[in-house]
Amino acid sequence: MKHPFEQAVKRHGETVLRVCRAVLGPGADADDAWSETFLAALKSWPDLPEDTNVEAWLVRVARRKAIDVTRARARRAIPSDSLPEQVSTLGIPGRDEYGVWAAVAVLPERQRLAVAYHYLGGLPHAETAEIIGGSPDAVRRAAADGMKTLRQIYHSGEHTKGAPR
């Protein structure tokens, strides 16, 4: 029996947001991709087969929405010299107090995507390989290399506190 859509949002919302942030970096783009993911999912929800792995399906939708956001970035106007509106730091769930998103953002793209889809999205290496291309062994290697780099950053104390917005 398929659960109501609201339960899927509650159950998998954080996973989708982690994937969006890992792919796009923290900020409004990741939040927009998260929203677009669930809007698209809501439209397809009635036709979704009962045996679908909802989390994996949502991660795939999030990936496509992140690609859409990346393409939209290329078409945006050039920023001006005026300062952006200040973002409140109060009451923001998932705030990047330890600089995790900034550390993930500096990884090479393949490692960043492998870490995002496998460790943050919960996908097995085989499904991650289908998304980003390559073999499951290559994805496993990229994810391991990415985690090794993150461990080195945190063990050496070189991580930055908070990501610039």
Side-chain angles (χ1 to χ4, degrees):
M1 183 173 111
K2 191 185 315 183
H3 297 288
F5 184 74
E6 293 81 14
Q7 287 183 1
V9 174
K10 286 181 183 176
R11 176 179 257 174
H12 305 294
E14 288 184 24
T15 300
V16 170
L17 184 58
R18 284 192 301 260
V19 169
C20 291
R21 285 181 174 172
V23 173
L24 297 169
D29 285 344
D31 295 343
D32 290 346
W34 183 91
S35 297
E36 291 296 325
T37 297
F38 282 105
L39 284 174
L42 180 60
K43 289 178 186 173
S44 300
W45 188 254
D47 301 325
L48 192 67
E50 300 263 340
D51 61 342
T52 300
N53 179 340
V54 175
E55 186 173 45
W57 175 67
L58 286 170
V59 167
R60 287 175 182 261
V61 173
R63 174 189 174 260
R64 291 185 191 114
K65 294 302 174 187
I67 290 170
D68 291 346
V69 169
T70 302
R71 289 179 180 155
R73 279 181 181 168
R75 296 188 296 264
R76 285 188 189 155
I78 297 172
S80 69
D81 291 336
S82 63
L83 294 175
E85 203 173 297
Q86 294 292 324
V87 177
S88 172
T89 58
L90 300 174
I92 299 174
R95 202 170 105 201
D96 192 18
E97 296 177 19
Y98 302 104
V100 172
W101 301 121
V104 171
V106 299
L107 292 175
E109 181 179 6
R110 189 159 182 80
Q111 292 178 13
R112 180 170 38 88
L113 295 177
V115 167
Y117 294 132
H118 180 68
Y119 290 105
L120 303 176
L123 294 181
H125 292 301
E127 289 186 31
T128 302
E130 290 177 17
I131 293 173
I132 66 174
S135 69
D137 288 337
V139 168
R140 181 178 294 113
R141 181 78 253 161
D145 289 346
M147 291 303 294
K148 180 180 177 184
T149 301
L150 292 175
R151 285 187 192 104
Q152 289 172 343
I153 289 171
Y154 281 93
H155 285 280
S156 68
E158 293 177 6
H159 66 280
T160 58
K161 186 168 180 83
R165 293 195 172 222

mmCIF file with all atom_site columns, all heavy atoms in Angstrom, residues 98-123:
data_model
loop_
_atom_site.group_PDB
_atom_site.id
_atom_site.type_symbol
_atom_site.label_atom_id
_atom_site.label_alt_id
_atom_site.label_comp_id
_atom_site.label_asym_id
_atom_site.label_entity_id
_atom_site.label_seq_id
_atom_site.pdbx_PDB_ins_code
_atom_site.Cartn_x
_atom_site.Cartn_y
_atom_site.Cartn_z
_atom_site.occupancy
_atom_site.B_iso_or_equiv
_atom_site.pdbx_formal_charge
_atom_site.auth_seq_id
_atom_site.auth_comp_id
_atom_site.auth_asym_id
_atom_site.auth_atom_id
_atom_site.pdbx_PDB_model_num
ATOM 1   N N   . TYR A 1 98  ? 29.590 23.223 11.069  1.00 0.00 ? 98  TYR A N   1
ATOM 2   C CA  . TYR A 1 98  ? 30.920 22.622 11.011  1.00 0.00 ? 98  TYR A CA  1
ATOM 3   C C   . TYR A 1 98  ? 31.558 22.716 9.633   1.00 0.00 ? 98  TYR A C   1
ATOM 4   O O   . TYR A 1 98  ? 32.606 22.134 9.399   1.00 0.00 ? 98  TYR A O   1
ATOM 5   C CB  . TYR A 1 98  ? 30.850 21.170 11.483  1.00 0.00 ? 98  TYR A CB  1
ATOM 6   C CG  . TYR A 1 98  ? 30.313 21.064 12.879  1.00 0.00 ? 98  TYR A CG  1
ATOM 7   C CD1 . TYR A 1 98  ? 29.015 20.638 13.105  1.00 0.00 ? 98  TYR A CD1 1
ATOM 8   C CD2 . TYR A 1 98  ? 31.082 21.453 13.967  1.00 0.00 ? 98  TYR A CD2 1
ATOM 9   C CE1 . TYR A 1 98  ? 28.498 20.570 14.393  1.00 0.00 ? 98  TYR A CE1 1
ATOM 10  C CE2 . TYR A 1 98  ? 30.582 21.394 15.247  1.00 0.00 ? 98  TYR A CE2 1
ATOM 11  C CZ  . TYR A 1 98  ? 29.294 20.954 15.460  1.00 0.00 ? 98  TYR A CZ  1
ATOM 12  O OH  . TYR A 1 98  ? 28.789 20.904 16.724  1.00 0.00 ? 98  TYR A OH  1
ATOM 13  N N   . GLY A 1 99  ? 30.902 23.384 8.729   1.00 0.00 ? 99  GLY A N   1
ATOM 14  C CA  . GLY A 1 99  ? 31.476 23.572 7.396   1.00 0.00 ? 99  GLY A CA  1
ATOM 15  C C   . GLY A 1 99  ? 31.452 22.332 6.528   1.00 0.00 ? 99  GLY A C   1
ATOM 16  O O   . GLY A 1 99  ? 32.243 22.215 5.603   1.00 0.00 ? 99  GLY A O   1
ATOM 17  N N   . VAL A 1 100 ? 30.547 21.409 6.814   1.00 0.00 ? 100 VAL A N   1
ATOM 18  C CA  . VAL A 1 100 ? 30.483 20.165 6.045   1.00 0.00 ? 100 VAL A CA  1
ATOM 19  C C   . VAL A 1 100 ? 30.174 20.453 4.581   1.00 0.00 ? 100 VAL A C   1
ATOM 20  O O   . VAL A 1 100 ? 30.824 19.927 3.684   1.00 0.00 ? 100 VAL A O   1
ATOM 21  C CB  . VAL A 1 100 ? 29.435 19.199 6.634   1.00 0.00 ? 100 VAL A CB  1
ATOM 22  C CG1 . VAL A 1 100 ? 29.242 17.989 5.726   1.00 0.00 ? 100 VAL A CG1 1
ATOM 23  C CG2 . VAL A 1 100 ? 29.845 18.772 8.025   1.00 0.00 ? 100 VAL A CG2 1
ATOM 24  N N   . TRP A 1 101 ? 29.182 21.323 4.341   1.00 0.00 ? 101 TRP A N   1
ATOM 25  C CA  . TRP A 1 101 ? 28.790 21.582 2.951   1.00 0.00 ? 101 TRP A CA  1
ATOM 26  C C   . TRP A 1 101 ? 29.923 22.277 2.202   1.00 0.00 ? 101 TRP A C   1
ATOM 27  O O   . TRP A 1 101 ? 30.145 21.994 1.028   1.00 0.00 ? 101 TRP A O   1
ATOM 28  C CB  . TRP A 1 101 ? 27.521 22.416 2.900   1.00 0.00 ? 101 TRP A CB  1
ATOM 29  C CG  . TRP A 1 101 ? 26.394 21.734 3.598   1.00 0.00 ? 101 TRP A CG  1
ATOM 30  C CD1 . TRP A 1 101 ? 25.680 22.207 4.652   1.00 0.00 ? 101 TRP A CD1 1
ATOM 31  C CD2 . TRP A 1 101 ? 25.849 20.434 3.333   1.00 0.00 ? 101 TRP A CD2 1
ATOM 32  N NE1 . TRP A 1 101 ? 24.762 21.285 5.056   1.00 0.00 ? 101 TRP A NE1 1
ATOM 33  C CE2 . TRP A 1 101 ? 24.843 20.188 4.267   1.00 0.00 ? 101 TRP A CE2 1
ATOM 34  C CE3 . TRP A 1 101 ? 26.151 19.443 2.403   1.00 0.00 ? 101 TRP A CE3 1
ATOM 35  C CZ2 . TRP A 1 101 ? 24.112 19.005 4.288   1.00 0.00 ? 101 TRP A CZ2 1
ATOM 36  C CZ3 . TRP A 1 101 ? 25.422 18.255 2.428   1.00 0.00 ? 101 TRP A CZ3 1
ATOM 37  C CH2 . TRP A 1 101 ? 24.421 18.057 3.360   1.00 0.00 ? 101 TRP A CH2 1
ATOM 38  N N   . ALA A 1 102 ? 30.636 23.149 2.882   1.00 0.00 ? 102 ALA A N   1
ATOM 39  C CA  . ALA A 1 102 ? 31.769 23.816 2.229   1.00 0.00 ? 102 ALA A CA  1
ATOM 40  C C   . ALA A 1 102 ? 32.862 22.803 1.908   1.00 0.00 ? 102 ALA A C   1
ATOM 41  O O   . ALA A 1 102 ? 33.483 22.866 0.846   1.00 0.00 ? 102 ALA A O   1
ATOM 42  C CB  . ALA A 1 102 ? 32.303 24.931 3.120   1.00 0.00 ? 102 ALA A CB  1
ATOM 43  N N   . ALA A 1 103 ? 33.104 21.859 2.826   1.00 0.00 ? 103 ALA A N   1
ATOM 44  C CA  . ALA A 1 103 ? 34.129 20.842 2.587   1.00 0.00 ? 103 ALA A CA  1
ATOM 45  C C   . ALA A 1 103 ? 33.723 19.914 1.442   1.00 0.00 ? 103 ALA A C   1
ATOM 46  O O   . ALA A 1 103 ? 34.546 19.551 0.606   1.00 0.00 ? 103 ALA A O   1
ATOM 47  C CB  . ALA A 1 103 ? 34.377 20.035 3.868   1.00 0.00 ? 103 ALA A CB  1
ATOM 48  N N   . VAL A 1 104 ? 32.434 19.541 1.390   1.00 0.00 ? 104 VAL A N   1
ATOM 49  C CA  . VAL A 1 104 ? 31.958 18.680 0.304   1.00 0.00 ? 104 VAL A CA  1
ATOM 50  C C   . VAL A 1 104 ? 32.035 19.431 -1.019  1.00 0.00 ? 104 VAL A C   1
ATOM 51  O O   . VAL A 1 104 ? 32.383 18.855 -2.047  1.00 0.00 ? 104 VAL A O   1
ATOM 52  C CB  . VAL A 1 104 ? 30.517 18.197 0.587   1.00 0.00 ? 104 VAL A CB  1
ATOM 53  C CG1 . VAL A 1 104 ? 29.926 17.494 -0.630  1.00 0.00 ? 104 VAL A CG1 1
ATOM 54  C CG2 . VAL A 1 104 ? 30.505 17.257 1.785   1.00 0.00 ? 104 VAL A CG2 1
ATOM 55  N N   . ALA A 1 105 ? 31.761 20.722 -0.996  1.00 0.00 ? 105 ALA A N   1
ATOM 56  C CA  . ALA A 1 105 ? 31.741 21.516 -2.229  1.00 0.00 ? 105 ALA A CA  1
ATOM 57  C C   . ALA A 1 105 ? 33.108 21.607 -2.896  1.00 0.00 ? 105 ALA A C   1
ATOM 58  O O   . ALA A 1 105 ? 33.182 21.781 -4.108  1.00 0.00 ? 105 ALA A O   1
ATOM 59  C CB  . ALA A 1 105 ? 31.206 22.920 -1.942  1.00 0.00 ? 105 ALA A CB  1
ATOM 60  N N   . VAL A 1 106 ? 34.197 21.484 -2.129  1.00 0.00 ? 106 VAL A N   1
ATOM 61  C CA  . VAL A 1 106 ? 35.532 21.602 -2.738  1.00 0.00 ? 106 VAL A CA  1
ATOM 62  C C   . VAL A 1 106 ? 36.047 20.279 -3.297  1.00 0.00 ? 106 VAL A C   1
ATOM 63  O O   . VAL A 1 106 ? 37.101 20.254 -3.933  1.00 0.00 ? 106 VAL A O   1
ATOM 64  C CB  . VAL A 1 106 ? 36.560 22.202 -1.750  1.00 0.00 ? 106 VAL A CB  1
ATOM 65  C CG1 . VAL A 1 106 ? 36.153 23.599 -1.332  1.00 0.00 ? 106 VAL A CG1 1
ATOM 66  C CG2 . VAL A 1 106 ? 36.786 21.307 -0.564  1.00 0.00 ? 106 VAL A CG2 1
ATOM 67  N N   . LEU A 1 107 ? 35.312 19.190 -3.060  1.00 0.00 ? 107 LEU A N   1
ATOM 68  C CA  . LEU A 1 107 ? 35.736 17.907 -3.629  1.00 0.00 ? 107 LEU A CA  1
ATOM 69  C C   . LEU A 1 107 ? 35.622 17.962 -5.151  1.00 0.00 ? 107 LEU A C   1
ATOM 70  O O   . LEU A 1 107 ? 34.778 18.685 -5.689  1.00 0.00 ? 107 LEU A O   1
ATOM 71  C CB  . LEU A 1 107 ? 34.840 16.775 -3.114  1.00 0.00 ? 107 LEU A CB  1
ATOM 72  C CG  . LEU A 1 107 ? 34.949 16.421 -1.640  1.00 0.00 ? 107 LEU A CG  1
ATOM 73  C CD1 . LEU A 1 107 ? 33.895 15.372 -1.289  1.00 0.00 ? 107 LEU A CD1 1
ATOM 74  C CD2 . LEU A 1 107 ? 36.332 15.897 -1.304  1.00 0.00 ? 107 LEU A CD2 1
ATOM 75  N N   . PRO A 1 108 ? 36.445 17.196 -5.878  1.00 0.00 ? 108 PRO A N   1
ATOM 76  C CA  . PRO A 1 108 ? 36.247 17.071 -7.322  1.00 0.00 ? 108 PRO A CA  1
ATOM 77  C C   . PRO A 1 108 ? 34.817 16.585 -7.602  1.00 0.00 ? 108 PRO A C   1
ATOM 78  O O   . PRO A 1 108 ? 34.251 15.836 -6.804  1.00 0.00 ? 108 PRO A O   1
ATOM 79  C CB  . PRO A 1 108 ? 37.290 16.031 -7.740  1.00 0.00 ? 108 PRO A CB  1
ATOM 80  C CG  . PRO A 1 108 ? 38.329 16.085 -6.673  1.00 0.00 ? 108 PRO A CG  1
ATOM 81  C CD  . PRO A 1 108 ? 37.600 16.437 -5.406  1.00 0.00 ? 108 PRO A CD  1
ATOM 82  N N   . GLU A 1 109 ? 34.266 16.988 -8.734  1.00 0.00 ? 109 GLU A N   1
ATOM 83  C CA  . GLU A 1 109 ? 32.860 16.736 -9.021  1.00 0.00 ? 109 GLU A CA  1
ATOM 84  C C   . GLU A 1 109 ? 32.468 15.263 -8.873  1.00 0.00 ? 109 GLU A C   1
ATOM 85  O O   . GLU A 1 109 ? 31.467 14.949 -8.249  1.00 0.00 ? 109 GLU A O   1
ATOM 86  C CB  . GLU A 1 109 ? 32.498 17.216 -10.421 1.00 0.00 ? 109 GLU A CB  1
ATOM 87  C CG  . GLU A 1 109 ? 31.025 16.993 -10.738 1.00 0.00 ? 109 GLU A CG  1
ATOM 88  C CD  . GLU A 1 109 ? 30.645 17.494 -12.119 1.00 0.00 ? 109 GLU A CD  1
ATOM 89  O OE1 . GLU A 1 109 ? 31.532 17.911 -12.873 1.00 0.00 ? 109 GLU A OE1 1
ATOM 90  O OE2 . GLU A 1 109 ? 29.447 17.461 -12.431 1.00 0.00 ? 109 GLU A OE2 1
ATOM 91  N N   . ARG A 1 110 ? 33.247 14.372 -9.422  1.00 0.00 ? 110 ARG A N   1
ATOM 92  C CA  . ARG A 1 110 ? 32.888 12.955 -9.374  1.00 0.00 ? 110 ARG A CA  1
ATOM 93  C C   . ARG A 1 110 ? 32.855 12.449 -7.923  1.00 0.00 ? 110 ARG A C   1
ATOM 94  O O   . ARG A 1 110 ? 31.952 11.716 -7.544  1.00 0.00 ? 110 ARG A O   1
ATOM 95  C CB  . ARG A 1 110 ? 33.870 12.148 -10.209 1.00 0.00 ? 110 ARG A CB  1
ATOM 96  C CG  . ARG A 1 110 ? 33.444 10.724 -10.393 1.00 0.00 ? 110 ARG A CG  1
ATOM 97  C CD  . ARG A 1 110 ? 34.114 10.107 -11.604 1.00 0.00 ? 110 ARG A CD  1
ATOM 98  N NE  . ARG A 1 110 ? 33.655 8.774  -11.792 1.00 0.00 ? 110 ARG A NE  1
ATOM 99  C CZ  . ARG A 1 110 ? 32.508 8.429  -12.366 1.00 0.00 ? 110 ARG A CZ  1
ATOM 100 N NH1 . ARG A 1 110 ? 31.718 9.360  -12.829 1.00 0.00 ? 110 ARG A NH1 1
ATOM 101 N NH2 . ARG A 1 110 ? 32.148 7.171  -12.499 1.00 0.00 ? 110 ARG A NH2 1
ATOM 102 N N   . GLN A 1 111 ? 33.833 12.857 -7.122  1.00 0.00 ? 111 GLN A N   1
ATOM 103 C CA  . GLN A 1 111 ? 33.844 12.449 -5.721  1.00 0.00 ? 111 GLN A CA  1
ATOM 104 C C   . GLN A 1 111 ? 32.667 13.075 -4.971  1.00 0.00 ? 111 GLN A C   1
ATOM 105 O O   . GLN A 1 111 ? 32.014 12.418 -4.160  1.00 0.00 ? 111 GLN A O   1
ATOM 106 C CB  . GLN A 1 111 ? 35.156 12.864 -5.056  1.00 0.00 ? 111 GLN A CB  1
ATOM 107 C CG  . GLN A 1 111 ? 36.356 12.107 -5.564  1.00 0.00 ? 111 GLN A CG  1
ATOM 108 C CD  . GLN A 1 111 ? 37.649 12.578 -4.931  1.00 0.00 ? 111 GLN A CD  1
ATOM 109 O OE1 . GLN A 1 111 ? 37.645 13.299 -3.941  1.00 0.00 ? 111 GLN A OE1 1
ATOM 110 N NE2 . GLN A 1 111 ? 38.764 12.167 -5.517  1.00 0.00 ? 111 GLN A NE2 1
ATOM 111 N N   . ARG A 1 112 ? 32.391 14.354 -5.258  1.00 0.00 ? 112 ARG A N   1
ATOM 112 C CA  . ARG A 1 112 ? 31.282 15.044 -4.587  1.00 0.00 ? 112 ARG A CA  1
ATOM 113 C C   . ARG A 1 112 ? 29.953 14.346 -4.899  1.00 0.00 ? 112 ARG A C   1
ATOM 114 O O   . ARG A 1 112 ? 29.150 14.101 -3.999  1.00 0.00 ? 112 ARG A O   1
ATOM 115 C CB  . ARG A 1 112 ? 31.238 16.502 -5.040  1.00 0.00 ? 112 ARG A CB  1
ATOM 116 C CG  . ARG A 1 112 ? 30.132 17.306 -4.422  1.00 0.00 ? 112 ARG A CG  1
ATOM 117 C CD  . ARG A 1 112 ? 30.275 18.805 -4.700  1.00 0.00 ? 112 ARG A CD  1
ATOM 118 N NE  . ARG A 1 112 ? 30.761 19.140 -6.021  1.00 0.00 ? 112 ARG A NE  1
ATOM 119 C CZ  . ARG A 1 112 ? 29.986 19.309 -7.094  1.00 0.00 ? 112 ARG A CZ  1
ATOM 120 N NH1 . ARG A 1 112 ? 28.698 19.183 -6.976  1.00 0.00 ? 112 ARG A NH1 1
ATOM 121 N NH2 . ARG A 1 112 ? 30.516 19.618 -8.259  1.00 0.00 ? 112 ARG A NH2 1
ATOM 122 N N   . LEU A 1 113 ? 29.725 14.006 -6.161  1.00 0.00 ? 113 LEU A N   1
ATOM 123 C CA  . LEU A 1 113 ? 28.482 13.354 -6.538  1.00 0.00 ? 113 LEU A CA  1
ATOM 124 C C   . LEU A 1 113 ? 28.390 11.954 -5.941  1.00 0.00 ? 113 LEU A C   1
ATOM 125 O O   . LEU A 1 113 ? 27.322 11.535 -5.477  1.00 0.00 ? 113 LEU A O   1
ATOM 126 C CB  . LEU A 1 113 ? 28.357 13.301 -8.065  1.00 0.00 ? 113 LEU A CB  1
ATOM 127 C CG  . LEU A 1 113 ? 28.225 14.658 -8.755  1.00 0.00 ? 113 LEU A CG  1
ATOM 128 C CD1 . LEU A 1 113 ? 28.188 14.473 -10.266 1.00 0.00 ? 113 LEU A CD1 1
ATOM 129 C CD2 . LEU A 1 113 ? 27.001 15.411 -8.277  1.00 0.00 ? 113 LEU A CD2 1
ATOM 130 N N   . ALA A 1 114 ? 29.512 11.221 -5.942  1.00 0.00 ? 114 ALA A N   1
ATOM 131 C CA  . ALA A 1 114 ? 29.513 9.868  -5.364  1.00 0.00 ? 114 ALA A CA  1
ATOM 132 C C   . ALA A 1 114 ? 29.220 9.923  -3.868  1.00 0.00 ? 114 ALA A C   1
ATOM 133 O O   . ALA A 1 114 ? 28.424 9.134  -3.353  1.00 0.00 ? 114 ALA A O   1
ATOM 134 C CB  . ALA A 1 114 ? 30.857 9.183  -5.632  1.00 0.00 ? 114 ALA A CB  1
ATOM 135 N N   . VAL A 1 115 ? 29.837 10.873 -3.168  1.00 0.00 ? 115 VAL A N   1
ATOM 136 C CA  . VAL A 1 115 ? 29.575 11.032 -1.732  1.00 0.00 ? 115 VAL A CA  1
ATOM 137 C C   . VAL A 1 115 ? 28.121 11.436 -1.509  1.00 0.00 ? 115 VAL A C   1
ATOM 138 O O   . VAL A 1 115 ? 27.435 10.897 -0.631  1.00 0.00 ? 115 VAL A O   1
ATOM 139 C CB  . VAL A 1 115 ? 30.537 12.081 -1.111  1.00 0.00 ? 115 VAL A CB  1
ATOM 140 C CG1 . VAL A 1 115 ? 30.081 12.486 0.277   1.00 0.00 ? 115 VAL A CG1 1
ATOM 141 C CG2 . VAL A 1 115 ? 31.956 11.526 -1.064  1.00 0.00 ? 115 VAL A CG2 1
ATOM 142 N N   . ALA A 1 116 ? 27.622 12.367 -2.325  1.00 0.00 ? 116 ALA A N   1
ATOM 143 C CA  . ALA A 1 116 ? 26.247 12.861 -2.154  1.00 0.00 ? 116 ALA A CA  1
ATOM 144 C C   . ALA A 1 116 ? 25.231 11.760 -2.363  1.00 0.00 ? 116 ALA A C   1
ATOM 145 O O   . ALA A 1 116 ? 24.352 11.546 -1.521  1.00 0.00 ? 116 ALA A O   1
ATOM 146 C CB  . ALA A 1 116 ? 25.990 14.009 -3.121  1.00 0.00 ? 116 ALA A CB  1
ATOM 147 N N   . TYR A 1 117 ? 25.340 11.049 -3.456  1.00 0.00 ? 117 TYR A N   1
ATOM 148 C CA  . TYR A 1 117 ? 24.326 10.040 -3.755  1.00 0.00 ? 117 TYR A CA  1
ATOM 149 C C   . TYR A 1 117 ? 24.451 8.807  -2.868  1.00 0.00 ? 117 TYR A C   1
ATOM 150 O O   . TYR A 1 117 ? 23.447 8.225  -2.469  1.00 0.00 ? 117 TYR A O   1
ATOM 151 C CB  . TYR A 1 117 ? 24.386 9.628  -5.221  1.00 0.00 ? 117 TYR A CB  1
ATOM 152 C CG  . TYR A 1 117 ? 24.007 10.749 -6.154  1.00 0.00 ? 117 TYR A CG  1
ATOM 153 C CD1 . TYR A 1 117 ? 24.783 11.064 -7.260  1.00 0.00 ? 117 TYR A CD1 1
ATOM 154 C CD2 . TYR A 1 117 ? 22.879 11.527 -5.935  1.00 0.00 ? 117 TYR A CD2 1
ATOM 155 C CE1 . TYR A 1 117 ? 24.447 12.087 -8.114  1.00 0.00 ? 117 TYR A CE1 1
ATOM 156 C CE2 . TYR A 1 117 ? 22.531 12.558 -6.774  1.00 0.00 ? 117 TYR A CE2 1
ATOM 157 C CZ  . TYR A 1 117 ? 23.317 12.839 -7.863  1.00 0.00 ? 117 TYR A CZ  1
ATOM 158 O OH  . TYR A 1 117 ? 22.981 13.863 -8.694  1.00 0.00 ? 117 TYR A OH  1
ATOM 159 N N   . HIS A 1 118 ? 25.672 8.412  -2.535  1.00 0.00 ? 118 HIS A N   1
ATOM 160 C CA  . HIS A 1 118 ? 25.834 7.197  -1.738  1.00 0.00 ? 118 HIS A CA  1
ATOM 161 C C   . HIS A 1 118 ? 25.681 7.474  -0.241  1.00 0.00 ? 118 HIS A C   1
ATOM 162 O O   . HIS A 1 118 ? 24.856 6.851  0.411   1.00 0.00 ? 118 HIS A O   1
ATOM 163 C CB  . HIS A 1 118 ? 27.200 6.557  -2.005  1.00 0.00 ? 118 HIS A CB  1
ATOM 164 C CG  . HIS A 1 118 ? 27.407 5.304  -1.212  1.00 0.00 ? 118 HIS A CG  1
ATOM 165 N ND1 . HIS A 1 118 ? 26.697 4.152  -1.448  1.00 0.00 ? 118 HIS A ND1 1
ATOM 166 C CD2 . HIS A 1 118 ? 28.225 5.036  -0.166  1.00 0.00 ? 118 HIS A CD2 1
ATOM 167 C CE1 . HIS A 1 118 ? 27.066 3.229  -0.586  1.00 0.00 ? 118 HIS A CE1 1
ATOM 168 N NE2 . HIS A 1 118 ? 27.999 3.742  0.208   1.00 0.00 ? 118 HIS A NE2 1
ATOM 169 N N   . TYR A 1 119 ? 26.464 8.402  0.289   1.00 0.00 ? 119 TYR A N   1
ATOM 170 C CA  . TYR A 1 119 ? 26.455 8.609  1.742   1.00 0.00 ? 119 TYR A CA  1
ATOM 171 C C   . TYR A 1 119 ? 25.320 9.514  2.207   1.00 0.00 ? 119 TYR A C   1
ATOM 172 O O   . TYR A 1 119 ? 24.783 9.328  3.283   1.00 0.00 ? 119 TYR A O   1
ATOM 173 C CB  . TYR A 1 119 ? 27.800 9.186  2.202   1.00 0.00 ? 119 TYR A CB  1
ATOM 174 C CG  . TYR A 1 119 ? 28.913 8.180  2.103   1.00 0.00 ? 119 TYR A CG  1
ATOM 175 C CD1 . TYR A 1 119 ? 29.857 8.266  1.099   1.00 0.00 ? 119 TYR A CD1 1
ATOM 176 C CD2 . TYR A 1 119 ? 28.998 7.130  3.009   1.00 0.00 ? 119 TYR A CD2 1
ATOM 177 C CE1 . TYR A 1 119 ? 30.877 7.344  0.986   1.00 0.00 ? 119 TYR A CE1 1
ATOM 178 C CE2 . TYR A 1 119 ? 30.011 6.194  2.916   1.00 0.00 ? 119 TYR A CE2 1
ATOM 179 C CZ  . TYR A 1 119 ? 30.945 6.308  1.901   1.00 0.00 ? 119 TYR A CZ  1
ATOM 180 O OH  . TYR A 1 119 ? 31.938 5.370  1.801   1.00 0.00 ? 119 TYR A OH  1
ATOM 181 N N   . LEU A 1 120 ? 24.948 10.505 1.427   1.00 0.00 ? 120 LEU A N   1
ATOM 182 C CA  . LEU A 1 120 ? 23.891 11.410 1.860   1.00 0.00 ? 120 LEU A CA  1
ATOM 183 C C   . LEU A 1 120 ? 22.536 10.987 1.316   1.00 0.00 ? 120 LEU A C   1
ATOM 184 O O   . LEU A 1 120 ? 21.514 11.187 1.957   1.00 0.00 ? 120 LEU A O   1
ATOM 185 C CB  . LEU A 1 120 ? 24.213 12.840 1.420   1.00 0.00 ? 120 LEU A CB  1
ATOM 186 C CG  . LEU A 1 120 ? 25.563 13.379 1.917   1.00 0.00 ? 120 LEU A CG  1
ATOM 187 C CD1 . LEU A 1 120 ? 25.839 14.755 1.357   1.00 0.00 ? 120 LEU A CD1 1
ATOM 188 C CD2 . LEU A 1 120 ? 25.601 13.397 3.437   1.00 0.00 ? 120 LEU A CD2 1
ATOM 189 N N   . GLY A 1 121 ? 22.524 10.416 0.095   1.00 0.00 ? 121 GLY A N   1
ATOM 190 C CA  . GLY A 1 121 ? 21.263 9.983  -0.498  1.00 0.00 ? 121 GLY A CA  1
ATOM 191 C C   . GLY A 1 121 ? 20.900 8.544  -0.198  1.00 0.00 ? 121 GLY A C   1
ATOM 192 O O   . GLY A 1 121 ? 19.772 8.132  -0.428  1.00 0.00 ? 121 GLY A O   1
ATOM 193 N N   . GLY A 1 122 ? 21.864 7.766  0.293   1.00 0.00 ? 122 GLY A N   1
ATOM 194 C CA  . GLY A 1 122 ? 21.586 6.388  0.672   1.00 0.00 ? 122 GLY A CA  1
ATOM 195 C C   . GLY A 1 122 ? 21.485 5.417  -0.493  1.00 0.00 ? 122 GLY A C   1
ATOM 196 O O   . GLY A 1 122 ? 20.992 4.309  -0.323  1.00 0.00 ? 122 GLY A O   1
ATOM 197 N N   . LEU A 1 123 ? 21.939 5.816  -1.683  1.00 0.00 ? 123 LEU A N   1
ATOM 198 C CA  . LEU A 1 123 ? 21.859 4.914  -2.826  1.00 0.00 ? 123 LEU A CA  1
ATOM 199 C C   . LEU A 1 123 ? 23.043 3.950  -2.824  1.00 0.00 ? 123 LEU A C   1
ATOM 200 O O   . LEU A 1 123 ? 24.152 4.340  -2.459  1.00 0.00 ? 123 LEU A O   1
ATOM 201 C CB  . LEU A 1 123 ? 21.885 5.705  -4.135  1.00 0.00 ? 123 LEU A CB  1
ATOM 202 C CG  . LEU A 1 123 ? 20.702 6.617  -4.416  1.00 0.00 ? 123 LEU A CG  1
ATOM 203 C CD1 . LEU A 1 123 ? 20.891 7.301  -5.762  1.00 0.00 ? 123 LEU A CD1 1
ATOM 204 C CD2 . LEU A 1 123 ? 19.407 5.829  -4.412  1.00 0.00 ? 123 LEU A CD2 1
#
